[in-house]
Amino acid sequence: MYTAPFSPGTCQYDVSVAFIPPRWFLLPVLVSRLNRVPQEWRPLNVNVVVSKSYHRFSDWSFEDAETRARALGVTLIVAEDIGPLSKIIGARHNPSVATLIVDDDRDLSPLTWETACRCSRGTDVVNFSPDPKLLYGSHGYLLPNGFDPVTIDAIIDAYSTQRWGYHDDIYMSCHLHDTNQTLLHLPIDANSYILSEITSSRLAGLIETV
């Protein structure tokens, strides 16, 4: 089925998401839903993080992904496979605007896009999940404009070398609390729902919660 390319909005934030190969078919779903968001709430850009090869998915075709991304009007960001935390890498693409971090298998409430837009000029990390201390990509969280790309690199490096396999959202939450980053808690009433039951093969480790 044909999906129209992403039509950029006018609100000052981007979206960053990392699709694992078994869920790549959901990218047109995300683009289609974003195109239905009112333009004044819609993000400027969709950053899709992928790797040219994956430890867990040997039959992945990067060339096919590149062709699909071009057709759908999204920005493909190529990075080493570091598991689920890859989704924050897109925040380095344009640090002058805020970045909404989302999971690849969820359909977010329309309120998330509107609220992200309203918060996009703020200076705090915005947490849309029901838990005031824990960020969840399944509900979305917003990294503010000016969020230091060096900080993102440090988070990724520490995760990939020390915490591989740990729950990425919990790890991200702990890191921000440890560095005294303010989290603005704006829970969205309507929960996201799962678009795909496909899961990755990673093992979720245990990490002390905040």
Side-chain angles (χ1 to χ4, degrees), residues 3-76:
T3 299
F6 173 67
S7 177
T10 57
C11 200
Q12 296 298 301
Y13 74 102
D14 287 349
V15 171
S16 181
V17 58
F19 281 92
I20 61 171
R23 296 198 192 115
W24 189 251
F25 74 97
L26 290 174
L27 178 57
V29 178
L30 173 62
V31 169
S32 177
R33 280 165 166 70
L34 278 172
N35 281 341
R36 293 200 293 269
V37 173
Q39 189 176 33
E40 64 270 22
W41 299 345
R42 197 182 310 153
L44 298 171
N45 190 50
V46 179
N47 299 318
V48 179
V49 183
V50 298
S51 176
K52 287 193 174 181
S53 63
Y54 291 85
H55 305 296
R56 299 156 289 160
F57 310 108
S58 58
D59 59 348
W60 166 244
S61 172
F62 173 75
E63 291 74 17
D64 290 348
E66 194 172 29
T67 300
R68 175 62 66 88
R70 190 180 301 112
L72 289 172
V74 302
T75 299
L76 202 62

Side-chain angles (χ1 to χ4, degrees), residues 112-125:
T112 304
W113 310 107
E114 178 182 1
T115 309
C117 179
R118 294 182 186 279
C119 296
S120 61
R121 295 189 181 277
T123 58
D124 297 327
V125 175

Side-chain angles (χ1 to χ4, degrees), residues 168-208:
D168 62 304
D169 291 329
I170 294 177
Y171 175 79
M172 184 71 175
S173 303
C174 290
H175 179 89
L176 294 177
H177 283 288
D178 287 345
T179 55
N180 298 313
Q181 173 71 51
T182 302
L183 298 185
L184 177 62
H185 186 223
L186 294 176
I188 302 298
D189 291 337
N191 289 332
S192 63
Y193 64 85
I194 297 175
L195 290 172
S196 171
E197 295 290 345
I198 298 171
T199 60
S200 71
S201 59
R202 70 180 179 90
L203 298 176
L206 297 176
I207 188 169
E208 182 179 353

